[in-house]
């Protein structure tokens, strides 16, 4: 029992990264109705960009993160504009297949450009663990939680209290009402995609100083993000925050008490149990058909 | 003034509207009647930019609008209250109203003023302004949809079956509001299945049948409700 606080803290760290990845995924799904299987590779790309910024260019932590966010926003813009938009024009379900293809393509680009060796970013933060009560955490891990908390807060404030946020939420509710109200669906689609991929990249960048960045690293990440998004209810922002942190904590407890073999299975078991009881997810509204 | 000039429109390869041609003069109110599936909503969606005409022109105050997308219509001065009391169910009542002012969001003062105007017009929306719009009753949702459309400060308002599936008392309230808006000089196009409501409000009546006007006449004492019904039911000759 003495280790419980430490396990919880580890869970919150991992959970924070799940929240960021899942928020991007759920935003893109909720607003654009695109299921983006390449989202895990967006996360990995963020990690590589952090390695680039911190190791090769020698940027301090904050400018390195800004570099990641700017590059990922531009990358998201390009993917939406040049891949998903033209492919989705004829049949939206083609986008799902295209995102699978993009995922595999990106994995191979990573392999070709960065090589198979795992890499780690230099955080530039003071080394050594910091003690908080009975919990020890490295400064990188604390930074992950802090950065996630700031990002999520900013995102929630933007969504709740700005016109941009209103246009995003309106579009996710009802595209026709949004359009006749004067909302330009194309513009919102682009903004959403840019935000979503920045969130994935930011998460990958934050985690890159703790876990190795490798070409195939996105596969498990996107699975976890899907667990979170489905468990929360597709498109639910608040749900993704709760479910992401929850999954991180449960995994940390399972790893701590039952061993790490169970860690990557537990999420799937939970999501099956949740869907059996609440098919719309924990926070999803029951969809009415009239 | 709204002018529809020989408009064809449809979905994909299926043509629904065939040479629709009519004018709603400034300050006027025209009604389109027709049975289910006759193309009334398609006509509304075409005017509102949700469906692109395959030929013909649509002009608002002499200015072509048929090539603009639906999202530009609010700024052009045209608002649609769609069929089915559609609202943004997960958003609050107030957010639903505000979204109608999206194109003039920079005009903070004007938006606040109009929000107050909508609340004065529909006091029930004020008491429920923090509630999720999906929780409202049918009548309240229709009021909300109307309030949202008015936030755009339209010159031209399209109303698609505003009285459908509402209690007689609420239908009366909606009629009163339409009358009031018309008193303020708003130009309106009203789609209805409620013949008596249309006769009560409109200056001009059109009956749509299989995507064509089967009947178009100025409203007046010589309009015979029985004849209208016959056309409506598809028995009359054009
Ligand atoms: N989105 C769509 N895609 C394809 N066909 C459609 C679509 N919407 C309507 N239609 C078809 O177009 C025709 C006219 O439909 P429309 O909705 O305009 O009728 P309406 O007169 O408004 O009927 P109602 O009184 O039931 O509202 C119908 O045959 C309908 O099936
Ligand atoms: Mg209709």
């Amino acid at each position: 029992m003495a280790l419980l606080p430490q396990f919880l803290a580890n869970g919150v760290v991992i959970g924070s990264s799940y929240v960021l990845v899942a928020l991007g995924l759920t935003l893109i799904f909720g607003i654009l109705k695109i299921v983006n299987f390449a989202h895990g590779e967006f996360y990995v790309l963020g990690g590589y960009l952090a390695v680039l910024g911190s190791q090769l260019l020698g940027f301090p932590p904050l400018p390195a993160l800004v570099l990641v966010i700017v590059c990922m926003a531009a990358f998201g813009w390009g993917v939406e504009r040049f891949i998903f938009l033209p492919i989705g024009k004829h049949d939206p379900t083609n986008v799902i297949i295209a995102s699978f293809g993009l995922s595999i393509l990106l994995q191979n680009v990573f392999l070709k450009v960065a090589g198979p060796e795992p890499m780690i970013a230099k955080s530039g933060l003071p080394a050594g663990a910091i003690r908080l009560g009975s919990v020890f955490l490295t400064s990188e891990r604390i930074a992950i939680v802090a950065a996630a908390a700031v990002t999520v807060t900013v995102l929630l404030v933007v969504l709740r209290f700005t016109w941009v946020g209103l246009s995003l939420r309106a579009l996710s509710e009802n595209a026709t009402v949004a359009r006749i109200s004067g909302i330009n669906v194309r513009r919102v689609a682009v903004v959403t995609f840019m935000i979503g991929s920045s969130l994935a990249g930011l998460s990958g960048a934050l985690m890159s100083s703790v876990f190795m960045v490798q070409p195939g690293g996105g596969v498990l990440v996107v699975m976890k993000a899907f667990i979170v998004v489905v468990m929360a209810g597709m498109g639910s922002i608040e749900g993704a925050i709760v479910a992401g942190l929850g999954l991180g904590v449960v995994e940390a407890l399972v790893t701590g008490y039952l061993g790490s073999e169970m860690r990557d299975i537990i999420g799937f078991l939970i999501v099956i149990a949740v869907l059996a009881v609440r098919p719309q997810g924990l926070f999803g509204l029951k969809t009415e058909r009239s | 003034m709204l002018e529809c000039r020989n408009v064809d429109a449809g979905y994909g390869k299926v043509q629904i509207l065939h040479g629709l041609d009519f004018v709603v003069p400034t300050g006027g109110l025209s009604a389109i009647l027709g049975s289910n599936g006759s193309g009334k909503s398609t006509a509304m969606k075409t005017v509102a930019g949700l469906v692109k005409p395959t030929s013909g022109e649509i002009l608002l105050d002499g200015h072509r609008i048929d090539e603009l997308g639906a999202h530009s219509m609010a700024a052009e001065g045209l608002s649609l209250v769609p069929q089915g009391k559609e609202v943004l169910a997960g958003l609050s009542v107030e957010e639903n109203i505000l979204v109608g002012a999206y194109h003039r969001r920079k005009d903070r003062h004007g938006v606040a003023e109009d929000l107050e105007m909508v609340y004065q017009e529909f006091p029930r929306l004020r008491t429920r302004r923090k509630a999720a719009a999906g929780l409202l009753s049918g009548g309240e949702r229709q009021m909300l949809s109307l309030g949202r459309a008015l936030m755009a400060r339209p010159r031209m308002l399209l109303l698609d079956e505003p009285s459908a599936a509402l209690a007689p008392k609420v239908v009366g309230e909606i009629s009163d509001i339409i009358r009031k808006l018309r008193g303020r000089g708003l130009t309106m196009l009203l789609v209805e299945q409620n013949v008596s409501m249309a006769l009560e409000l409109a200056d001009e009546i059109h009956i749509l049948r299989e995507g064509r006007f089967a009947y178009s006449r100025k409203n007046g004492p010589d309009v015979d409700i029985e004849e209208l019904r016959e056309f409506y039911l598809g028995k009359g000759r054009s």
Side-chain angles (χ1 to χ4, degrees), chain A residues 163 169 173-174 179 182-183, chain B residues 71 86 89-90 95 105 148:
Chain A
W163 284 101
R169 287 187 299 133
E173 286 283 337
N174 184 321
R179 286 171 69 197
I183 291 165
Chain B
H71 67 88
E86 282 191 60
E95 287 170 334
R105 55 195 177 278
R148 180 191 54 69

Side-chain angles (χ1 to χ4, degrees), chain B residues 35-42 44-45 83-84 160-161 191 193:
Chain B
S35 52
N36 293 115
S38 56
K40 305 181 298 297
S41 296
T42 306
M44 291 301 229
K45 286 190 263 180
Q83 184 172 6
D160 195 346
E161 299 202 34
V191 156
Q193 300 216 40

Side-chain angles (χ1 to χ4, degrees), chain A:
Chain A
M1 248 10 214
L3 283 173
L4 183 64
Q6 182 67 49
F7 291 158
L8 289 177
N10 292 348
V12 170
V13 173
I14 303 291
S16 302
S17 83
Y18 292 165
V19 169
L20 290 180
V21 183
L23 276 180
L25 196 65
T26 211
L27 268 179
I28 290 174
F29 175 78
I31 294 166
L32 308 179
K33 315 296 176 218
I34 289 177
V35 180
N36 181 22
F37 282 100
H39 203 68
E41 280 64 45
F42 288 22
Y43 168 97
V44 175
L45 181 57
Y48 280 122
L49 287 169
V51 173
L52 176 77
S54 67
Q55 305 266 47
L56 301 180
L57 305 177
F59 280 14
L62 222 46
L65 283 184
V66 172
L67 174 83
V68 171
I69 290 175
V70 171
C71 290
M72 288 307 297
F75 180 72
W77 173 83
V79 167
E80 203 277 341
R81 177 72 188 73
F82 297 110
I83 302 178
F84 289 172
L85 175 68
I87 286 177
K89 244 185 191 140
H90 300 291
D91 184 355
T93 50
N94 288 349
V95 172
I96 299 179
I97 313 292
S99 79
F100 259 123
L102 180 64
S103 159
I104 293 163
L105 175 77
L106 285 174
Q107 287 178 37
N108 286 291
V109 170
F110 298 151
L111 202 57
K112 192 90 192 149
V113 176
E117 299 305 316
M119 296 181 175
I120 199 148
K122 246 202 333 253
S123 70
L125 296 173
I130 294 164
R131 190 177 159 179
L132 305 161
S134 58
V135 175
F136 287 90
L137 285 175
T138 59
S139 46
E140 283 91 357
R141 285 172 186 256
I142 294 171
I144 291 170
V145 178
V150 170
T151 309
V152 168
T153 308
V154 170
L155 186 71
L156 286 179
V157 168
V158 167
L159 284 174
R160 192 69 45 197
F161 300 109
T162 69
W163 284 101
V164 173
L166 183 61
S167 69
L168 262 63
R169 287 187 299 133
L171 189 55
S172 84
E173 286 283 337
N174 184 321
T176 304
V177 173
R179 286 171 69 197
I180 61 176
S181 302
I183 291 165
N184 184 338
V185 174
R186 280 298 312 141
R187 192 174 311 157
V188 175
V190 171
V191 170
T192 305
F193 220 91
M194 290 168 75
I195 295 175
S197 44
S198 297
L199 287 172
L202 176 65
S203 180
L206 291 169
M207 297 300 273
S208 68
S209 60
V210 178
F211 294 101
M212 297 287 185
V213 187
Q214 44 196 329
V219 177
L220 197 56
V221 170
V222 80
M223 286 300 169
K224 296 289 170 68
F226 272 116
I227 289 176
V228 170
V229 168
V230 172
M231 186 155 61
M234 301 287 277
S236 166
I237 304 287
E238 289 82 0
I241 297 168
V242 175
L245 284 175
L247 181 64
V249 167
V250 169
E251 283 188 359
L253 294 179
V254 167
T255 310
Y257 292 115
L258 301 176
S260 57
E261 305 80 24
M262 280 296 288
R263 186 191 61 204
D264 295 330
I265 301 170
I266 190 73
F268 292 101
L269 297 180
I270 296 174
V271 86
I272 291 167
V274 167
L275 290 184
V277 183
R278 271 181 75 87
Q280 72 274 31
L282 291 174
F283 292 77
L285 294 173
K286 263 207 203 89
T287 42
E288 285 174 53
R289 298 254 172 253
S290 52

